C-alpha cells in the first residue's frame, strides 16, 4: 500500500524488514486551485512578470512597425480574399495551409468593417503583442501547478522573455504567438482537469481544453508539434502506469483527430485536398538530412534559443543526471529535437521562428 508522506516522495512497507523504503521521487502535480492557498504573493509575482513582458515590447512597438515576409503574405492573402468571392485563395495557397483560421478571421474582419485595410498590419501586431502576455501568464501558471514552486514558475516566465524568437515574434503580426497562447490555455485547462476531483467541472475543462487546442492548430499548424507537452501533467499523476499509458494513447488519438479536422478545413478553403499541397511543399523544399547538421542550420537553432536558454538547459541536464532522472532527459531532448526534424530542420529554408515550438 502506498503511503504518501509528502509532495515529493512515497514509501512502501518492506514485508521482510517492516521498514519504509523510497519507491518514487517524481514531482507531485498540484491542482489549479492551489495558487489561492499561497496568498497574494504568487499573484504579485505573476503581475510583475506580465508587466515585464509588456515593457520590453512596448518601446519597439511605439518606435516602429515590425514585419516579416510571411506575415505580409498573410495580410495580402486576406485582403485579396476579402474582395474576391470566387476561389479567394487561388492566388497564394501557402498562407491558408499555414494558418487557415487566422487568415479567415482577418478576411471576416475586413468584410465586416472591424479591420481597416490600411491598419491590418497594426491589428496583427497588437494581437501578437497581447498574446505574448497570455503565453507568459500561462507558462507561469503551468509550471506553478506542475512543480508547486513559485521560484520555478517565475524562472520559467522570465527565461521565456529572453528567448529571441519569442521576443521578436511578439512585435510583428504573425500567428505563432497567438497560436501558442491558445495552446497554453488548452494545456492549463487539461492540467487543472486532471487535478480536480469534481467530475462535472472536469468535463467542462476537458472540452474547453480540446476546443482551445483545435483553434490553436487552425490558427497556426505548428502548435500540433508541441502536443507531447500534454504528457507532462499525465505522467506527474499519482496513478498506475497503465492509466498513464491509456491517457497518452487518448491524447495521441485526439491529436490525430485534430489534424484530420485541420486538413479538411484547410482543404475546403482551397477547394482541394490539403495533401496535394504537402506534395508541392516537399517538391519545393526536399528533404536533405545533411542540412540538419550544417553550419547554417546549427547557427539558426542556436540563435533561436539564445544565450540564456542553452546554458540553463545544459545546467538542468547536469542536475538531472546527478538525480538519475534519465527518463526526463530523454523526454526533453526528444521533445526539443523531434519538431525540428519533422518540420524544417531537414529542409533548406529554415528560420528561427520555425524553432520556437
Amino acid at each position: 500500500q502506498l503511503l504518501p508522506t509528502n509532495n515529493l516522495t512515497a514509501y512502501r512497507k518492506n514485508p521482510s524488514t517492516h521498514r519504509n523504503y523510497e519507491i518514487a521521487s517524481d514531482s507531485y502535480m498540484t491542482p489549479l486551485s492551489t495558487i489561492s492557498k499561497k496568498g497574494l504573493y504568487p499573484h504579485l509575482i505573476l503581475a510583475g512578470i506580465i508587466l515585464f513582458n509588456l515593457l520590453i515590447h512596448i518601446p519597439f512597438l511605439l518606435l516602429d512597425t515590425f514585419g516579416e515576409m510571411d506575415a505580409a503574405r498573410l495580410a495580402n492573402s486576406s485582403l485579396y480574399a476579402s474582395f474576391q468571392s470566387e476561389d479567394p485563395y487561388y492566388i497564394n495557397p501557402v498562407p491558408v495551409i499555414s494558418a487557415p483560421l487566422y487568415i479567415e478571421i482577418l478576411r471576416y474582419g475586413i468584410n465586416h468593417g472591424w479591420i481597416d485595410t490600411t491598419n491590418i498590419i497594426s491589428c496583427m501586431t497588437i494581437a501578437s503583442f497581447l498574446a505574448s502576455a497570455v503565453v507568459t501568464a500561462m507558462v507561469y501558471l503551468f509550471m506553478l501547478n506542475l512543480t508547486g514552486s513559485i521560484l520555478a514558475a517565475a524562472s520559467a516566465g522570465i527565461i521565456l522573455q529572453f528567448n529571441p524568437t519569442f521576443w521578436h515574434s511578439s512585435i510583428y503580426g504573425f500567428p505563432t504567438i497567438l497560436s501558442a497562447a491558445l495552446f497554453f490555455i488548452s494545456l492549463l485547462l487539461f492540467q487543472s482537469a486532471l487535478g480536480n476531483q469534481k467530475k462535472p467541472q472536469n468535463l467542462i475543462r476537458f472540452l474547453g481544453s480540446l476546443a482551445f487546442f483545435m483553434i490553436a492548430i487552425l490558427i497556426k499548424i505548428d502548435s500540433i508539434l508541441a502536443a507531447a507537452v500534454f504528457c507532462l501533467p499525465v505522467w506527474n499523476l499519482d496513478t498506475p502506469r497503465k492509466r498513464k499509458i491509456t491517457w497518452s494513447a487518448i491524447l495521441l488519438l485526439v491529436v490525430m483527430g485534430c489534424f484530420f479536422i485541420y486538413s479538411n478545413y484547410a482543404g475546403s478553403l482551397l477547394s482541394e485536398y490539403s495533401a496535394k499541397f504537402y506534395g508541392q511543399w516537399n517538391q519545393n523544399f526536399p528533404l536533405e538530412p545533411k542540412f540538419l547538421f550544417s553550419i547554417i542550420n546549427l547557427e539558426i537553432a542556436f540563435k533561436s534559443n539564445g544565450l540564456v536558454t542553452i546554458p540553463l538547459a545544459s545546467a538542468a541536464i547536469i542536475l538531472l543526471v546527478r538525480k538519475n532522472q534519465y527518463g526526463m532527459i530523454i523526454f526533453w531532448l526528444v521533445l526539443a529535437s523531434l519538431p525540428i526534424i519533422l518540420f524544417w530542420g531537414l529542409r533548406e529554408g529554415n528560420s528561427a521562428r520555425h524553432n520556437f515550438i
Side-chain angles (χ1 to χ4, degrees):
Q1 182 181 2
L2 292 180
L3 303 172
T5 56
N6 53 48
N7 285 352
L8 298 177
T9 308
Y11 292 86
R12 177 179 289 159
K13 185 75 72 175
N14 189 317
S16 60
T17 62
H18 300 287
R19 293 180 180 177
N20 291 334
Y21 64 94
E22 185 176 341
I23 64 166
S25 57
D26 293 333
S27 53
Y28 176 81
M29 193 192 74
T30 314
L32 184 63
S33 59
T34 306
I35 186 172
S36 61
K37 299 177 182 179
K38 297 178 181 291
L40 192 61
Y41 185 60
H43 297 279
L44 293 175
I45 296 293
L46 174 59
I49 295 175
I50 293 175
L51 181 62
F52 178 66
N53 165 267
L54 297 175
L55 289 177
I56 63 174
H57 292 109
I58 287 178
F60 297 91
L61 293 174
L62 294 176
L63 290 173
D64 204 349
T65 300
F66 292 80
E68 190 235 22
M69 289 187 295
D70 287 339
R73 292 188 185 99
L74 285 172
N76 288 336
S77 294
S78 61
L79 287 169
Y80 179 84
S82 63
F83 298 105
Q84 180 71 22
S85 58
E86 186 175 347
D87 204 2
Y89 298 112
Y90 175 78
I91 188 172
N92 188 4
V94 177
V96 179
I97 294 295
S98 174
L101 183 57
Y102 184 76
I103 201 172
E104 273 290 279
I105 291 173
L106 291 177
R107 182 170 78 99
Y108 190 85
I110 293 170
N111 287 340
H112 288 77
W114 300 341
I115 299 177
D116 193 322
T117 55
T118 60
N119 293 324
I120 184 171
I121 296 297
S122 297
C123 293
M124 294 166 66
T125 301
I126 291 173
S128 295
F129 169 62
L130 296 177
S132 71
V134 176
V135 172
T136 300
M138 294 300 105
V139 167
Y140 174 89
L141 292 173
F142 174 69
M143 288 301 299
L144 182 62
N145 294 326
L146 189 71
T147 66
S149 167
I150 296 177
L151 178 60
S155 299
I158 293 172
I159 291 169
L160 180 65
Q161 310 310 313
F162 292 96
N163 181 286
T165 313
F166 175 74
W167 179 85
H168 187 252
S169 297
S170 300
I171 59 173
Y172 73 87
F174 198 77
T176 298
I177 303 299
L178 181 59
S179 177
L182 295 167
F183 174 87
F184 269 106
I185 293 174
S186 170
L187 180 62
L188 198 67
L189 285 172
F190 178 76
Q191 182 190 46
S192 64
L194 287 177
N196 194 341
Q197 302 300 321
K198 298 179 180 179
K199 291 185 178 180
Q201 292 183 9
N202 281 354
L203 179 60
I204 295 174
R205 290 178 181 179
F206 280 130
L207 291 176
S209 174
L210 178 60
F212 276 104
F213 181 66
M214 186 71 254
I215 296 172
I217 293 174
L218 294 176
I219 290 289
K220 190 70 176 74
I221 184 58
D222 302 16
S223 287
I224 201 170
L225 298 172
V229 176
F230 280 86
C231 292
L232 277 176
V234 169
W235 285 88
N236 242 27
L237 286 173
D238 186 18
T239 57
R241 183 179 295 269
K242 186 180 295 185
R243 187 179 178 187
K244 295 177 182 179
I245 294 175
T246 301
W247 263 113
S248 300
I250 293 173
L251 289 173
L252 179 61
L253 291 175
V254 168
V255 171
M256 293 173 63
C258 289
F259 184 76
F260 177 78
I261 295 173
Y262 150 79
S263 297
N264 282 273
Y265 179 70
S268 67
L269 296 178
L270 296 173
S271 302
E272 62 181 17
Y273 290 108
S274 54
K276 180 179 179 181
F277 172 80
Y278 298 141
Q280 295 175 351
W281 184 62
N282 286 324
Q283 289 180 357
N284 295 334
F285 303 98
L287 286 172
E288 295 184 14
K290 63 180 182 180
F291 181 71
L292 181 64
F293 299 103
S294 66
I295 299 298
I296 296 176
N297 203 37
L298 292 176
E299 184 180 1
I300 290 172
F302 182 82
K303 287 184 176 180
S304 66
N305 283 279
L307 296 175
V308 174
T309 307
I310 294 176
L312 287 176
S314 301
I317 290 176
I318 293 173
L319 290 173
L320 288 172
V321 169
R322 294 178 60 182
K323 292 180 176 293
N324 296 320
Q325 295 284 344
Y326 298 105
M328 183 58 71
I329 295 174
I330 294 173
F331 181 82
W332 268 16
L333 295 178
V334 170
L335 191 63
S337 60
L338 269 186
I340 303 301
I341 296 173
L342 295 175
F343 190 35
W344 274 100
L346 297 176
R347 306 171 191 270
E348 289 193 30
N350 195 13
S351 70
R353 191 188 68 240
H354 296 153
N355 294 264
F356 173 68
I357 295 297

